[in-house]
Amino acid sequence: MLISIASGKGGTGKTTLALLLAAAEPDITLIDCDVEEPNCHLFLKPEWHGQGKEITVMVPRINSNLCNGCSACSVVCLFNAIAISGGKALLFDELCHSCGGCILACQYGAIKEEKKPIGTITTGTSPILPNIHLLNGTLHIGTPSSVPLIKAIKQEVSDLKVDMLLDCPPGTSCSMVTAVKNSDFCILVTEPTPFGKHDLELAMNITRLLHMPTGVVINKNDEATGDKSIESLCQSRDIPVLAKIPHSLSFAKQYAAGFIPDEFKSIAINIWKQLHAERREEA
Amino acid sequence: MKELVIVSGKGGTGKTSISGALAFLSPQKVMVDCDVDAANFHLISSAVIKHTHEFKAGFEPHIDEEACTHCATCTDLCRFGAITAGVINTPLNCEGCGVCAFNCPEHAITMQEKEAGQWFVSDTRFGQLIHAELGLAIENSGKLVSKVRQEAKKIATTNHFPLIITDGPPGIGCPAIAALSGASLALAVVEPSLSSMHDLERLVELVYHFNLPIMVCINKSTLHKENTKQIIDWCNSKAIPIAGKLPYSDAFRTAVQSGKTVMEITDENVKEQMTKLWHNLAKRLDVPAQLSGIGLLRQKLNLF
Amino acid sequence: MKIAITSHGEDRHSEVDSRFGRADYFILYDQETDTWDSLPNTQNLEAAHGAGIQAGQSLAKTGAKILITGHVGPKAFKVLDAEKITMYSMGDLTGTVEDALAAFLAGKLMTIDVPGASHGK
């Protein structure tokens, strides 16, 4: 079962929940898909297996000797990644989406493809929590899009027949969608503030678009405020609230120091019960 | 005219709370919310939308079903698995590259501009706000970020405002890059947690990559004193000035819950530290920290 | 030789603009005919993305072979380099377009060999 953990708003506790859930299962693969800012490894302090795998995308290389500046490639590039300057085609690979359109358009064989590194995938085992197998994606600084790296990570794990947790990037645009797509269940983590609620709704719109079974975890909850607006939102969307994790300053301090304490283990076990029941229902 | 862009790397460190407080404190500015796929600034500024604009970015294929012979040339050429024999079976996979359209033997596919979202000009308690909402699951958030910043510059120029305050997005990808490009000063908001410190290092590398001046603000500084010290030492070693330190306080949460900024909530310590932060930033940006006598008079008379 | 200078205003008495891609105007001075011309940089207003590339191409069309500005971003740099336009930086210099031209002719300006902001930190 592939369970993605996403949010909409940043900082609600995706990584925290991912680690809590991972700690509570006997044998689990945890995938850190927040490739711009991966954090799981800071808490797990894993022993890495080797140097990892370099992930590349194909980008065009223009042979200026064969190029006559006819601009056929520039015309078909809808990402404006090719400009004609000095009578030759000039590539801006940071804008390139690797679609191959320019190669198809060139009548003079002046464009070939070559690999460009965008990030790495590393795997490791945590000495602190040996039941967790960590797969971590890190984007090279300056690479604009995390989408190809996230796709590569999903591809790496597509054949695995084990239970997996996917720590997703924040937001609701292309990188979050790429991470959440094709998972079996999506847990949306929110906080009971107007920011949390606003962004939760946007994230719910995404999971609805993906026809993805969804559940919500309310983190940093404070029963004293009596704010039930998130619960009402979930009810109106027919999405279950899987858990409410209380706001805890002691937990926050431990988290700041890089530890996930046992404080909420029973909540994590309870979430797993609901997820396993969900799996039995689907089967 | 100067632009202050507030970024963080890690989400949830307090960018929007701080942007809101700075908007409260700064005399003449335009505000921009660049977190276009999860925009929050309007929630604490009593924003009233005055103008709505459509935003088009990228392209999508349209198929002429009568001309299509289902030859499946497009299936083989599409690298994203979005189209099969003239049917866009997985629109979410489509990147709008046009390879199907440009290579269809029957010319049955045309590429048309895609509706990608909306951007707004709103009035708020602090002045004008440019913000946006990206369409569902859309790419090109960087373009929308660039758009709202551009529009803010136009408004600031017309009104002779010396400052644009830009609430940035999390991460270090294209939305963050688009928010930072050409900024006068980047303010990196960090909290004393391992995650945030790790993410700050990556953010700073990005900022250097683009040759921008940077200052740091440590938010929730009292949460973990050792980590705060570590951040200070690290910044000193990199010659990155620390513009402010804000204590951990429930005032931040109370403020958000009531749709206000922390400057409007009674925590004098937070207010004092935030004011110090603002003065340090104003000095670095070389913009006036408060209205001059004439400025105050003009404001009272409701002139701009 | 035609020389281009980035400017906030539309003539040679205007303040120099340190940006290239989003400069307000390009002021053009033709050394051979001792004449001035100006080109509004519409990329500044219209393009949300890739302003540098388009500005570079617009400038190339004018026939200018020298550019005097503050700094040039990486994409614009690539285009200008491909078009064999030599770039000079005004550095900390402020003043009018005419001042910038005088500084260039007196050999006081440095060439821009790599893209990026020349002011900052």
Side-chain angles (χ1 to χ4, degrees), chain C residues 82-110:
Chain C
E83 295 286 357
K84 310 251 186 295
I85 296 172
T86 317
M87 299 161 258
Y88 286 86
S89 173
M90 299 183 288
D92 293 323
L93 201 91
T94 51
T96 64
V97 167
E98 272 183 322
D99 295 335
L101 179 67
F104 165 71
L105 293 170
K108 290 189 181 155
L109 302 185
M110 306 265 283

PDB file of all heavy atoms in Angstrom, chain C residues 82-110:
ATOM      1  N   ALA C  82      26.241  35.420 -27.800  1.00  0.00           N
ATOM      2  CA  ALA C  82      26.067  34.772 -29.107  1.00  0.00           C
ATOM      3  C   ALA C  82      25.974  35.809 -30.220  1.00  0.00           C
ATOM      4  O   ALA C  82      26.400  35.572 -31.348  1.00  0.00           O
ATOM      5  CB  ALA C  82      24.821  33.892 -29.105  1.00  0.00           C
ATOM      6  N   GLU C  83      25.438  36.972 -29.901  1.00  0.00           N
ATOM      7  CA  GLU C  83      25.305  38.039 -30.894  1.00  0.00           C
ATOM      8  C   GLU C  83      26.569  38.895 -30.970  1.00  0.00           C
ATOM      9  O   GLU C  83      26.585  39.906 -31.669  1.00  0.00           O
ATOM     10  CB  GLU C  83      24.106  38.945 -30.540  1.00  0.00           C
ATOM     11  CG  GLU C  83      22.753  38.255 -30.599  1.00  0.00           C
ATOM     12  CD  GLU C  83      22.274  38.013 -32.023  1.00  0.00           C
ATOM     13  OE1 GLU C  83      22.941  38.427 -32.989  1.00  0.00           O
ATOM     14  OE2 GLU C  83      21.200  37.389 -32.183  1.00  0.00           O
ATOM     15  N   LYS C  84      27.587  38.503 -30.220  1.00  0.00           N
ATOM     16  CA  LYS C  84      28.890  39.212 -30.207  1.00  0.00           C
ATOM     17  C   LYS C  84      28.741  40.678 -29.825  1.00  0.00           C
ATOM     18  O   LYS C  84      29.366  41.564 -30.417  1.00  0.00           O
ATOM     19  CB  LYS C  84      29.596  39.097 -31.579  1.00  0.00           C
ATOM     20  CG  LYS C  84      29.700  37.693 -32.136  1.00  0.00           C
ATOM     21  CD  LYS C  84      31.139  37.203 -32.091  1.00  0.00           C
ATOM     22  CE  LYS C  84      31.318  35.870 -32.776  1.00  0.00           C
ATOM     23  NZ  LYS C  84      30.599  34.774 -32.084  1.00  0.00           N
ATOM     24  N   ILE C  85      27.896  40.936 -28.829  1.00  0.00           N
ATOM     25  CA  ILE C  85      27.760  42.289 -28.283  1.00  0.00           C
ATOM     26  C   ILE C  85      28.606  42.346 -27.019  1.00  0.00           C
ATOM     27  O   ILE C  85      28.405  41.562 -26.094  1.00  0.00           O
ATOM     28  CB  ILE C  85      26.278  42.604 -27.965  1.00  0.00           C
ATOM     29  CG1 ILE C  85      25.455  42.602 -29.260  1.00  0.00           C
ATOM     30  CG2 ILE C  85      26.148  43.949 -27.234  1.00  0.00           C
ATOM     31  CD1 ILE C  85      23.959  42.715 -29.067  1.00  0.00           C
ATOM     32  N   THR C  86      29.568  43.269 -26.972  1.00  0.00           N
ATOM     33  CA  THR C  86      30.435  43.362 -25.793  1.00  0.00           C
ATOM     34  C   THR C  86      29.716  44.143 -24.704  1.00  0.00           C
ATOM     35  O   THR C  86      29.156  45.213 -24.954  1.00  0.00           O
ATOM     36  CB  THR C  86      31.756  44.079 -26.140  1.00  0.00           C
ATOM     37  OG1 THR C  86      32.221  43.580 -27.381  1.00  0.00           O
ATOM     38  CG2 THR C  86      32.792  43.817 -25.064  1.00  0.00           C
ATOM     39  N   MET C  87      29.751  43.600 -23.489  1.00  0.00           N
ATOM     40  CA  MET C  87      29.018  44.215 -22.385  1.00  0.00           C
ATOM     41  C   MET C  87      29.968  44.916 -21.423  1.00  0.00           C
ATOM     42  O   MET C  87      31.014  44.355 -21.068  1.00  0.00           O
ATOM     43  CB  MET C  87      28.255  43.127 -21.623  1.00  0.00           C
ATOM     44  CG  MET C  87      27.238  42.395 -22.485  1.00  0.00           C
ATOM     45  SD  MET C  87      26.758  40.810 -21.753  1.00  0.00           S
ATOM     46  CE  MET C  87      27.728  39.684 -22.736  1.00  0.00           C
ATOM     47  N   TYR C  88      29.598  46.115 -21.024  1.00  0.00           N
ATOM     48  CA  TYR C  88      30.398  46.867 -20.049  1.00  0.00           C
ATOM     49  C   TYR C  88      29.522  47.211 -18.849  1.00  0.00           C
ATOM     50  O   TYR C  88      28.338  47.522 -19.005  1.00  0.00           O
ATOM     51  CB  TYR C  88      30.923  48.166 -20.668  1.00  0.00           C
ATOM     52  CG  TYR C  88      32.044  47.927 -21.648  1.00  0.00           C
ATOM     53  CD1 TYR C  88      31.774  47.637 -22.986  1.00  0.00           C
ATOM     54  CD2 TYR C  88      33.378  47.965 -21.232  1.00  0.00           C
ATOM     55  CE1 TYR C  88      32.798  47.394 -23.885  1.00  0.00           C
ATOM     56  CE2 TYR C  88      34.409  47.734 -22.131  1.00  0.00           C
ATOM     57  CZ  TYR C  88      34.120  47.442 -23.454  1.00  0.00           C
ATOM     58  OH  TYR C  88      35.131  47.195 -24.344  1.00  0.00           O
ATOM     59  N   SER C  89      30.140  47.208 -17.670  1.00  0.00           N
ATOM     60  CA  SER C  89      29.372  47.498 -16.472  1.00  0.00           C
ATOM     61  C   SER C  89      29.654  48.900 -15.964  1.00  0.00           C
ATOM     62  O   SER C  89      30.794  49.356 -15.925  1.00  0.00           O
ATOM     63  CB  SER C  89      29.719  46.497 -15.362  1.00  0.00           C
ATOM     64  OG  SER C  89      29.097  46.896 -14.168  1.00  0.00           O
ATOM     65  N   MET C  90      28.582  49.567 -15.531  1.00  0.00           N
ATOM     66  CA  MET C  90      28.733  50.894 -14.943  1.00  0.00           C
ATOM     67  C   MET C  90      29.182  50.793 -13.493  1.00  0.00           C
ATOM     68  O   MET C  90      29.512  51.795 -12.878  1.00  0.00           O
ATOM     69  CB  MET C  90      27.404  51.639 -15.008  1.00  0.00           C
ATOM     70  CG  MET C  90      26.934  51.818 -16.436  1.00  0.00           C
ATOM     71  SD  MET C  90      25.430  52.771 -16.567  1.00  0.00           S
ATOM     72  CE  MET C  90      24.224  51.628 -15.930  1.00  0.00           C
ATOM     73  N   GLY C  91      29.132  49.594 -12.930  1.00  0.00           N
ATOM     74  CA  GLY C  91      29.567  49.409 -11.543  1.00  0.00           C
ATOM     75  C   GLY C  91      28.748  50.270 -10.604  1.00  0.00           C
ATOM     76  O   GLY C  91      27.529  50.242 -10.638  1.00  0.00           O
ATOM     77  N   ASP C  92      29.432  51.091  -9.802  1.00  0.00           N
ATOM     78  CA  ASP C  92      28.727  51.931  -8.831  1.00  0.00           C
ATOM     79  C   ASP C  92      28.364  53.301  -9.394  1.00  0.00           C
ATOM     80  O   ASP C  92      27.823  54.145  -8.693  1.00  0.00           O
ATOM     81  CB  ASP C  92      29.603  52.142  -7.591  1.00  0.00           C
ATOM     82  CG  ASP C  92      29.780  50.840  -6.833  1.00  0.00           C
ATOM     83  OD1 ASP C  92      28.806  50.064  -6.779  1.00  0.00           O
ATOM     84  OD2 ASP C  92      30.891  50.586  -6.314  1.00  0.00           O
ATOM     85  N   LEU C  93      28.664  53.508 -10.649  1.00  0.00           N
ATOM     86  CA  LEU C  93      28.422  54.810 -11.283  1.00  0.00           C
ATOM     87  C   LEU C  93      26.941  55.132 -11.320  1.00  0.00           C
ATOM     88  O   LEU C  93      26.132  54.291 -11.648  1.00  0.00           O
ATOM     89  CB  LEU C  93      28.931  54.732 -12.729  1.00  0.00           C
ATOM     90  CG  LEU C  93      29.245  56.050 -13.411  1.00  0.00           C
ATOM     91  CD1 LEU C  93      30.697  56.380 -13.179  1.00  0.00           C
ATOM     92  CD2 LEU C  93      29.000  55.948 -14.912  1.00  0.00           C
ATOM     93  N   THR C  94      26.611  56.381 -10.951  1.00  0.00           N
ATOM     94  CA  THR C  94      25.242  56.841 -11.171  1.00  0.00           C
ATOM     95  C   THR C  94      25.352  58.049 -12.085  1.00  0.00           C
ATOM     96  O   THR C  94      26.436  58.534 -12.373  1.00  0.00           O
ATOM     97  CB  THR C  94      24.579  57.259  -9.841  1.00  0.00           C
ATOM     98  OG1 THR C  94      25.463  58.157  -9.171  1.00  0.00           O
ATOM     99  CG2 THR C  94      24.309  56.064  -8.952  1.00  0.00           C
ATOM    100  N   GLY C  95      24.226  58.548 -12.524  1.00  0.00           N
ATOM    101  CA  GLY C  95      24.287  59.721 -13.398  1.00  0.00           C
ATOM    102  C   GLY C  95      23.475  59.496 -14.649  1.00  0.00           C
ATOM    103  O   GLY C  95      22.600  58.618 -14.694  1.00  0.00           O
ATOM    104  N   THR C  96      23.759  60.301 -15.664  1.00  0.00           N
ATOM    105  CA  THR C  96      22.944  60.215 -16.875  1.00  0.00           C
ATOM    106  C   THR C  96      23.588  59.278 -17.887  1.00  0.00           C
ATOM    107  O   THR C  96      24.739  58.850 -17.740  1.00  0.00           O
ATOM    108  CB  THR C  96      22.813  61.594 -17.523  1.00  0.00           C
ATOM    109  OG1 THR C  96      24.129  62.004 -17.946  1.00  0.00           O
ATOM    110  CG2 THR C  96      22.224  62.620 -16.561  1.00  0.00           C
ATOM    111  N   VAL C  97      22.829  59.043 -18.940  1.00  0.00           N
ATOM    112  CA  VAL C  97      23.307  58.222 -20.058  1.00  0.00           C
ATOM    113  C   VAL C  97      24.588  58.838 -20.631  1.00  0.00           C
ATOM    114  O   VAL C  97      25.564  58.134 -20.927  1.00  0.00           O
ATOM    115  CB  VAL C  97      22.195  58.120 -21.126  1.00  0.00           C
ATOM    116  CG1 VAL C  97      22.726  57.562 -22.433  1.00  0.00           C
ATOM    117  CG2 VAL C  97      21.042  57.272 -20.599  1.00  0.00           C
ATOM    118  N   GLU C  98      24.587  60.150 -20.767  1.00  0.00           N
ATOM    119  CA  GLU C  98      25.769  60.846 -21.313  1.00  0.00           C
ATOM    120  C   GLU C  98      26.985  60.619 -20.429  1.00  0.00           C
ATOM    121  O   GLU C  98      28.105  60.437 -20.930  1.00  0.00           O
ATOM    122  CB  GLU C  98      25.498  62.353 -21.408  1.00  0.00           C
ATOM    123  CG  GLU C  98      24.850  62.736 -22.717  1.00  0.00           C
ATOM    124  CD  GLU C  98      24.647  64.231 -22.851  1.00  0.00           C
ATOM    125  OE1 GLU C  98      24.316  64.891 -21.846  1.00  0.00           O
ATOM    126  OE2 GLU C  98      24.814  64.738 -23.978  1.00  0.00           O
ATOM    127  N   ASP C  99      26.765  60.642 -19.096  1.00  0.00           N
ATOM    128  CA  ASP C  99      27.873  60.397 -18.153  1.00  0.00           C
ATOM    129  C   ASP C  99      28.438  58.998 -18.369  1.00  0.00           C
ATOM    130  O   ASP C  99      29.660  58.789 -18.362  1.00  0.00           O
ATOM    131  CB  ASP C  99      27.381  60.504 -16.697  1.00  0.00           C
ATOM    132  CG  ASP C  99      26.921  61.912 -16.336  1.00  0.00           C
ATOM    133  OD1 ASP C  99      27.403  62.873 -16.979  1.00  0.00           O
ATOM    134  OD2 ASP C  99      26.067  62.037 -15.435  1.00  0.00           O
ATOM    135  N   ALA C 100      27.525  58.036 -18.561  1.00  0.00           N
ATOM    136  CA  ALA C 100      27.961  56.643 -18.741  1.00  0.00           C
ATOM    137  C   ALA C 100      28.768  56.499 -20.016  1.00  0.00           C
ATOM    138  O   ALA C 100      29.812  55.822 -20.054  1.00  0.00           O
ATOM    139  CB  ALA C 100      26.744  55.721 -18.775  1.00  0.00           C
ATOM    140  N   LEU C 101      28.321  57.162 -21.085  1.00  0.00           N
ATOM    141  CA  LEU C 101      29.039  57.097 -22.358  1.00  0.00           C
ATOM    142  C   LEU C 101      30.432  57.706 -22.220  1.00  0.00           C
ATOM    143  O   LEU C 101      31.429  57.153 -22.696  1.00  0.00           O
ATOM    144  CB  LEU C 101      28.249  57.828 -23.456  1.00  0.00           C
ATOM    145  CG  LEU C 101      28.921  57.847 -24.829  1.00  0.00           C
ATOM    146  CD1 LEU C 101      28.988  56.440 -25.414  1.00  0.00           C
ATOM    147  CD2 LEU C 101      28.190  58.777 -25.798  1.00  0.00           C
ATOM    148  N   ALA C 102      30.481  58.850 -21.535  1.00  0.00           N
ATOM    149  CA  ALA C 102      31.778  59.514 -21.323  1.00  0.00           C
ATOM    150  C   ALA C 102      32.731  58.606 -20.557  1.00  0.00           C
ATOM    151  O   ALA C 102      33.913  58.488 -20.903  1.00  0.00           O
ATOM    152  CB  ALA C 102      31.557  60.827 -20.572  1.00  0.00           C
ATOM    153  N   ALA C 103      32.208  57.945 -19.533  1.00  0.00           N
ATOM    154  CA  ALA C 103      33.045  57.036 -18.733  1.00  0.00           C
ATOM    155  C   ALA C 103      33.564  55.896 -19.592  1.00  0.00           C
ATOM    156  O   ALA C 103      34.716  55.476 -19.489  1.00  0.00           O
ATOM    157  CB  ALA C 103      32.247  56.491 -17.542  1.00  0.00           C
ATOM    158  N   PHE C 104      32.709  55.387 -20.464  1.00  0.00           N
ATOM    159  CA  PHE C 104      33.121  54.288 -21.355  1.00  0.00           C
ATOM    160  C   PHE C 104      34.223  54.752 -22.304  1.00  0.00           C
ATOM    161  O   PHE C 104      35.250  54.091 -22.474  1.00  0.00           O
ATOM    162  CB  PHE C 104      31.915  53.770 -22.148  1.00  0.00           C
ATOM    163  CG  PHE C 104      32.293  52.905 -23.316  1.00  0.00           C
ATOM    164  CD1 PHE C 104      32.813  51.629 -23.127  1.00  0.00           C
ATOM    165  CD2 PHE C 104      32.160  53.377 -24.625  1.00  0.00           C
ATOM    166  CE1 PHE C 104      33.188  50.830 -24.206  1.00  0.00           C
ATOM    167  CE2 PHE C 104      32.528  52.584 -25.708  1.00  0.00           C
ATOM    168  CZ  PHE C 104      33.046  51.310 -25.500  1.00  0.00           C
ATOM    169  N   LEU C 105      34.013  55.924 -22.933  1.00  0.00           N
ATOM    170  CA  LEU C 105      34.977  56.418 -23.913  1.00  0.00           C
ATOM    171  C   LEU C 105      36.315  56.736 -23.264  1.00  0.00           C
ATOM    172  O   LEU C 105      37.362  56.673 -23.913  1.00  0.00           O
ATOM    173  CB  LEU C 105      34.414  57.653 -24.630  1.00  0.00           C
ATOM    174  CG  LEU C 105      33.191  57.376 -25.534  1.00  0.00           C
ATOM    175  CD1 LEU C 105      32.552  58.671 -26.010  1.00  0.00           C
ATOM    176  CD2 LEU C 105      33.574  56.507 -26.736  1.00  0.00           C
ATOM    177  N   ALA C 106      36.260  57.093 -21.953  1.00  0.00           N
ATOM    178  CA  ALA C 106      37.506  57.369 -21.230  1.00  0.00           C
ATOM    179  C   ALA C 106      38.165  56.090 -20.731  1.00  0.00           C
ATOM    180  O   ALA C 106      39.164  56.133 -20.025  1.00  0.00           O
ATOM    181  CB  ALA C 106      37.207  58.297 -20.056  1.00  0.00           C
ATOM    182  N   GLY C 107      37.593  54.941 -21.066  1.00  0.00           N
ATOM    183  CA  GLY C 107      38.187  53.651 -20.690  1.00  0.00           C
ATOM    184  C   GLY C 107      38.019  53.299 -19.241  1.00  0.00           C
ATOM    185  O   GLY C 107      38.762  52.486 -18.690  1.00  0.00           O
ATOM    186  N   LYS C 108      37.008  53.905 -18.564  1.00  0.00           N
ATOM    187  CA  LYS C 108      36.870  53.694 -17.121  1.00  0.00           C
ATOM    188  C   LYS C 108      36.006  52.480 -16.775  1.00  0.00           C
ATOM    189  O   LYS C 108      35.929  52.075 -15.618  1.00  0.00           O
ATOM    190  CB  LYS C 108      36.211  54.933 -16.480  1.00  0.00           C
ATOM    191  CG  LYS C 108      37.106  56.140 -16.458  1.00  0.00           C
ATOM    192  CD  LYS C 108      36.475  57.250 -15.621  1.00  0.00           C
ATOM    193  CE  LYS C 108      37.386  58.473 -15.621  1.00  0.00           C
ATOM    194  NZ  LYS C 108      36.628  59.689 -15.371  1.00  0.00           N
ATOM    195  N   LEU C 109      35.318  51.909 -17.760  1.00  0.00           N
ATOM    196  CA  LEU C 109      34.386  50.822 -17.432  1.00  0.00           C
ATOM    197  C   LEU C 109      35.013  49.441 -17.646  1.00  0.00           C
ATOM    198  O   LEU C 109      35.815  49.253 -18.549  1.00  0.00           O
ATOM    199  CB  LEU C 109      33.113  50.942 -18.281  1.00  0.00           C
ATOM    200  CG  LEU C 109      32.338  52.256 -18.155  1.00  0.00           C
ATOM    201  CD1 LEU C 109      31.038  52.169 -18.949  1.00  0.00           C
ATOM    202  CD2 LEU C 109      32.026  52.561 -16.691  1.00  0.00           C
ATOM    203  N   MET C 110      34.576  48.477 -16.794  1.00  0.00           N
ATOM    204  CA  MET C 110      35.059  47.092 -16.912  1.00  0.00           C
ATOM    205  C   MET C 110      34.100  46.289 -17.783  1.00  0.00           C
ATOM    206  O   MET C 110      32.897  46.525 -17.743  1.00  0.00           O
ATOM    207  CB  MET C 110      35.082  46.442 -15.527  1.00  0.00           C
ATOM    208  CG  MET C 110      35.853  47.207 -14.495  1.00  0.00           C
ATOM    209  SD  MET C 110      37.533  46.552 -14.401  1.00  0.00           S
ATOM    210  CE  MET C 110      37.233  45.066 -13.484  1.00  0.00           C
TER     211      MET C 110
END
